[in-house]
């Protein structure tokens, strides 16, 4: 997309689900980055765009942290503490995925996984840990 002389890329992805699929999610990030080409555009790849917005159910979870600690941290509003265990934040810190991408401050409780039609976190036998799976990231090319 060319917008007033700047190239803009909007990518939407639904990445692999489940806590243990973190490595797959990172592989999916690279597969998307390597496979997407924009013939005829001044930005031939995603990273060549001036501005990139990456949105979707990225499915990164909280790990390693125990369920009870997640729940007590939510009850006490300690979201920044939980983000220390966020797989996406960790992948960014380690340079494994989404390097240079920014995200707005997360100042709200996790949005995954509620019992259907309620605001009660997963009470099924799986008792999945809450997390922030739906994300909006952005990146501006230096000098853009």
């Amino acid at each position: 997309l060319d917008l007033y002389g700047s190239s803009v890329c909007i990518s939407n992805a639904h990445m692999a689900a489940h806590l243990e699929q973190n490595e797959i999610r990172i592989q999916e990030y690279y597969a998307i980055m390597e496979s997407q080409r924009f013939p005829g555009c001044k930005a031939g790849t995603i990273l060549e765009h001036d501005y990139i917005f990456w949105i979707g159910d990225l499915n990164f979870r909280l790990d390693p942290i125990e369920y009870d600690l997640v729940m007590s941290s939510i009850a006490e509003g300690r979201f920044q503490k939980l983000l220390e265990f966020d797989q996406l934040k960790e992948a960014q810190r380690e340079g494994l995925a989404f390097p240079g991408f920014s995200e707005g401050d997360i100042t709200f409780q996790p949005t995954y996984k509620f019992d259907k039609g309620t605001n009660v976190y997963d009470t099924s036998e799986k008792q999945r840990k809450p997390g922030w799976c739906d994300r909006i990231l952005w990146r501006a090319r230096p000098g853009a």
Side-chain angles (χ1 to χ4, degrees):
L1 171 66
D2 184 53
L3 189 63
Y4 300 106
S6 294
S7 59
V8 179
C9 178
I10 302 170
S11 179
N12 180 291
H14 184 202
M15 294 181 157
H18 308 297
L19 175 71
E20 65 280 356
Q21 298 299 319
N22 192 41
E23 287 183 30
I24 301 297
R25 287 186 280 280
I26 292 169
Q27 290 171 5
E28 289 175 333
Y29 164 78
Y30 283 104
I32 292 167
M33 290 301 240
E34 291 171 11
S35 67
Q36 295 303 300
R37 297 292 180 258
F38 305 93
C41 297
K42 76 175 190 177
T45 67
I46 290 175
L47 288 178
E48 290 174 358
H49 284 81
D50 295 321
Y51 301 97
I52 305 162
F53 297 91
W54 197 305
I55 61 178
D57 187 354
L58 304 186
N59 263 316
F60 288 96
R61 309 298 172 91
L62 298 176
D63 192 50
I65 184 172
E66 296 300 320
Y67 180 85
D68 291 338
L69 184 53
V70 172
M71 298 310 290
S72 64
S73 295
I74 293 170
E76 296 166 8
R78 296 185 304 150
F79 309 132
Q80 294 307 306
K81 177 66 177 169
L82 287 176
L83 286 168
E84 293 174 17
F85 299 94
D86 181 74
Q87 291 174 332
L88 173 58
K89 298 290 188 198
E90 180 70 16
Q92 288 183 294
R93 282 191 296 272
E94 293 182 6
L96 299 174
F98 297 98
F101 279 80
S102 298
E103 182 175 35
D105 291 337
I106 295 178
T107 59
F108 51 90
Q109 70 183 37
T111 55
Y112 169 89
K113 165 77 172 153
F114 292 101
D115 290 340
K116 190 173 183 172
T118 75
N119 61 357
V120 175
Y121 286 108
D122 187 10
T123 58
S124 74
E125 60 189 37
K126 292 180 183 179
Q127 213 169 35
R128 291 165 284 208
K129 289 185 270 188
W132 294 276
C133 293
D134 300 313
R135 309 295 272 268
I136 301 171
L137 307 173
W138 64 88
R139 177 179 168 151
R141 188 178 49 76

